[in-house]
Amino acid sequence: MDLVEKRREQMFPKLTPAQLVRFAAHCTRRETAAGEILLNVGERPSGLFIVAAGSVEVLAPTSDVHTATCGYNLLNVLTAGDFSGEMSTLRGTPGLAQLRVREPGAVLHVGLDDVRRLVQSDAELSELMMRAFILRRMGIVQSGSGDVTVLGSSHAGNTLRIREFLTRNTRPYGDINIDQDPDARALLERFHVQPQDLPVVVCRGKVLRNPDNTILADCLGINGQPDDSVVHDVIIIGAGPAGLAAAVYAASEGLDVRVVDSFAPGGQAGTSSRIENYLGFPTGISGAALAGRALSQAQKFGAQLSIAWQAERLHCDEWPYAVEMSNGSRLRGRAVVIASGAQYRLLEVANVDRFLGSGVYYAATHLEARLCDGEDVAIVGGGNSAGQAAVFLAGSCRHVHVLVRSADLAESMSAYLIRRIEDSRNITLHTRTQITALSGVTRLEQVEWTTGKDTPQSRDLRHVFLMTGASPNTDWLAGCVTLDDQGFVKTGPDLTHEELANWRLARHPYLLESSTPGVFAAGDVRAGSVKRIASAVGEGSTTVQFVHRALRDLAAAPPQVVAAA
């Protein structure tokens, strides 16, 4: 059996008689008629279907904005022993494919709660379904079939943001570059938009002009249907490596978990082209793939995810705590894990904001690489992210300039990346160098940098990648937890006696606990953390054992003591 056949067998496995028997207790039989729709695109699945007799078509929507036509691509035909579903089934989010009966017969319906129960309790069926769900989602994304189209321009910085949002949240979409499309004028007239309105997203029949991430997520139905009245055991702010690790361990141990992220699973790590020093992956793994696996694992155990939700404020004056979101939602939780990470700092150059997304980038994924194929680029930064970006971009760019303020890379970058940079003919390291000016009309065209006390030199460069420094995402924590001078969350033994003046519990803070009982920090947002993915995962998973203890402590403490803390 070749690799393609094996992958397809894993994507659409046949259930054995023994496996069907284990499903039987959770099934209800339903007779089907030719042409009957079992699930429409955009509907939230009620579970999955097992074909008992007849056949069912799996169809992905297609749309051509040039001709204003819609249709379907046939992805597969399910016959007796096949089952439906992909990751939307497990997440309870709108389906990406239509299920239509081809030949009349019968199906066995397994409800959503039973599907979730089986993936948690039956090891064999869990492996079978999870692998199939993941591969099917990947297949739909790779097919490009979908009911979303992005009309963008390289001169519109938000075009890249939207493409990245859809890609990192594994949503299939059509992509039209207005700068290159011969029918650009006709397209703009058809949708009644002006060039200044770009980017435009045609989402399920709606025309969205430069939508923010929240509007886009709402149109796609990316999030489930959260109930603001629910009190979760733990709220995790941030779905980077630390947050996802905390979610996997907390959910697998039976806690009610809500994970919130402002953009997409993976955090900064999700933009890494290849991580080669993460335990267990000797050939390396992309940040997006690692994040996708971790998210699927967390959701397998029941963790709930909200995307494009920005934490605005932590309310710690009463328990259970509440986290106020920018969209007006208010989540309540008995414990909170702060895993909101850090973001790369902007250059201290006056007009850098002008070129964000149109020449200045914070990630080096295949989306950015496609924009600068065959061109010269500059990377600012000396950490592992910068090194991974340099090696990755060197494979498709003409030349890569790495700019660092320090004298070398040894203190901030792993040795294997330094060796690759030194051995690459089209990567040049510029030490003691910083960018002093950016210029261009509608997009970045020229970069000026200075090395030491030398005269500034200008280069015709249209692409700069910023991967330097880190500013913690902690503005929303004001008044609740103690931060260090740089804004990182202080925890455990790093907290001084004075900083714990309002601490009212008999015990001292646990290792990763902040100055507020039951509020923890993990990963890059924590003061003194090691800025590596493995350490973030370790902190996220370790936090859960302290969450259990804190939940017992807080439940036993008088309400006034908790509030006073």
Side-chain angles (χ1 to χ4, degrees):
M1 181 185 299
D2 64 24
L3 187 61
V4 174
E5 289 178 352
K6 183 178 180 180
R7 178 58 60 91
R8 185 159 185 83
E9 184 178 272
Q10 293 174 332
M11 189 182 294
F12 296 103
K14 289 279 187 186
L15 295 173
T16 66
Q19 290 166 344
L20 284 168
V21 168
R22 299 215 296 281
F23 269 111
H26 308 280
C27 294
T28 56
R29 186 180 177 91
R30 171 176 164 182
E31 304 302 314
T32 58
E36 181 181 354
I37 306 298
L38 301 178
L39 178 70
N40 246 324
V41 175
E43 289 181 356
R44 296 182 188 274
S46 60
L48 61 77
F49 296 98
I50 301 171
V51 179
S55 61
V56 174
E57 297 174 327
V58 182
L59 303 159
T62 62
S63 61
D64 187 338
V65 296
H66 292 92
T67 60
T69 57
C70 299
Y72 288 92
N73 279 337
L74 179 64
L75 297 181
N76 194 46
V77 178
L78 306 178
T79 56
D82 291 331
F83 61 90
S84 68
E86 49 96 29
M87 285 309 297
S88 297
T89 306
L90 197 60
R91 295 172 183 173
T93 55
L96 302 183
Q98 183 187 83
L99 298 177
R100 185 172 66 194
V101 177
R102 172 181 279 193
E103 298 171 297
V107 294
L108 306 175
H109 179 254
V110 184
L112 189 55
D113 288 342
D114 285 322
V115 172
R116 289 171 174 162
R117 192 174 296 112
L118 284 167
V119 298
Q120 293 178 31
S121 62
D122 190 309
E124 182 186 6
L125 294 182
S126 175
E127 181 179 355
L128 194 76
M129 287 190 284
M130 289 300 297
R131 182 182 288 118
F133 288 170
I134 293 169
L135 290 175
R136 290 172 187 179
R137 169 58 71 96
M138 290 171 56
I140 293 174
V141 171
Q142 291 169 1
S143 74
S145 296
D147 51 3
V148 176
T149 303
V150 178
L151 283 71
S153 165
S154 59
H155 304 296
N158 281 314
T159 299
L160 182 60
R161 170 184 59 82
I162 289 171
R163 288 170 178 162
E164 186 179 0
F165 181 83
L166 294 169
T167 300
R168 289 186 57 191
N169 285 290
T170 60
R171 307 297 299 197
Y173 67 97
D175 193 7
I176 295 177
N177 189 332
I178 294 297
D179 302 329
Q180 301 172 357
D181 195 290
D183 299 321
R185 182 181 296 274
L187 281 173
L188 295 178
E189 290 177 354
R190 172 172 296 155
F191 293 107
H192 307 291
V193 297
Q194 301 297 319
Q196 60 268 26
D197 294 328
L198 296 175
V200 166
V201 180
V202 183
C203 172
R204 297 181 174 174
K206 298 178 182 178
V207 178
L208 307 177
R209 291 169 172 79
N210 192 16
D212 63 25
N213 298 337
T214 301
I215 292 174
L216 196 51
D218 288 344
C219 182
L220 295 170
I222 283 180
N223 298 317
Q225 297 174 309
D227 183 350
D228 289 2
S229 66
V230 171
V231 178
H232 302 284
D233 290 323
V234 57
I235 298 171
I236 301 170
I237 305 298
L244 289 173
V248 168
Y249 279 85
S252 69
E253 293 175 14
L255 296 180
D256 180 292
V257 180
R258 166 73 63 178
V259 187
V260 176
D261 197 276
S262 61
F263 192 77
Q268 281 187 2
T271 67
S272 296
S273 55
R274 182 154 296 273
I275 304 161
E276 295 187 58
N277 60 348
Y278 187 71
L279 186 69
F281 293 91
T283 60
I285 185 171
S286 72
L290 186 63
R293 293 182 184 192
L295 175 62
S296 298
Q297 200 171 6
Q299 292 184 317
K300 164 186 173 178
F301 292 118
Q304 303 169 74
L305 175 70
S306 295
I307 286 294
W309 284 28
Q310 179 74 48
E312 287 285 316
R313 185 183 174 192
L314 172 62
H315 295 269
C316 57
D317 53 350
E318 61 179 4
W319 185 81
Y321 302 123
V323 182
E324 186 178 328
M325 300 293 161
S326 58
N327 63 1
S329 296
R330 190 180 176 96
L331 298 180
R332 300 178 67 211
R334 297 179 180 87
V336 177
V337 174
I338 304 164
S340 45
Q343 56 189 337
Y344 294 124
R345 293 194 182 103
L346 276 175
L347 288 174
E348 295 178 1
V349 176
N351 60 347
V352 65
D353 287 348
R354 272 185 58 202
F355 302 115
L356 291 178
S358 57
V360 174
Y361 319 106
Y362 285 108
T365 69
H366 74 277
L367 293 173
E368 289 82 10
R370 192 172 61 189
L371 296 174
C372 53
D373 186 28
E375 299 187 44
D376 290 1
V377 303
I379 296 173
V380 182
N384 272 15
S385 294
Q388 290 161 355
V391 172
F392 171 62
L393 293 171
S396 59
C397 293
R398 182 170 55 195
H399 202 91
V400 177
H401 298 275
V402 179
L403 282 54
V404 296
R405 291 188 177 188
S406 58
D408 56 40
L409 298 172
E411 290 186 6
S412 55
M413 189 179 293
S414 295
Y416 81 94
L417 287 170
I418 296 175
R419 286 195 295 270
R420 290 190 184 177
I421 288 173
E422 291 172 344
D423 293 343
S424 179
R425 295 182 177 180
N426 64 334
I427 300 179
T428 299
L429 174 64
H430 303 265
T431 59
R432 298 190 175 89
T433 301
Q434 57 184 322
I435 290 179
T436 50
L438 302 170
S439 59
V441 181
T442 58
R443 59 160 299 117
L444 182 64
E445 296 172 3
Q446 196 170 67
V447 178
E448 177 187 280
W449 67 64
T450 302
T451 300
K453 297 181 179 180
D454 294 344
T455 302
Q457 55 178 300
S458 294
R459 300 283 185 113
D460 292 331
L461 285 175
R462 304 195 314 136
H463 308 281
V464 172
F465 295 82
L466 302 183
M467 297 178 176
T468 179
S471 298
N473 297 313
T474 53
D475 291 345
W476 60 285
L477 297 169
C480 272
V481 302
T482 299
L483 308 177
D484 70 6
D485 293 340
Q486 295 179 301
F488 293 89
V489 180
K490 296 186 71 173
T491 59
D494 290 337
L495 290 162
T496 66
H497 179 75
E498 290 75 17
E499 290 166 342
L500 293 173
N502 293 322
W503 185 270
R504 293 293 182 267
L505 296 183
R507 62 170 176 80
H508 290 291
Y510 293 126
L511 180 64
L512 300 173
E513 194 170 19
S514 73
S515 57
T516 297
V519 178
F520 299 83
D524 290 359
V525 75
R526 191 180 67 80
S529 67
V530 179
K531 304 300 186 285
R532 290 289 186 267
I533 293 174
S535 63
V537 170
E539 288 189 12
S541 55
T542 300
T543 296
V544 176
Q545 67 170 299
F546 298 121
V547 167
H548 283 293
R549 297 180 192 176
L551 290 177
R552 290 194 295 269
D553 298 340
L554 293 171
Q560 65 271 20
V561 171
V562 176

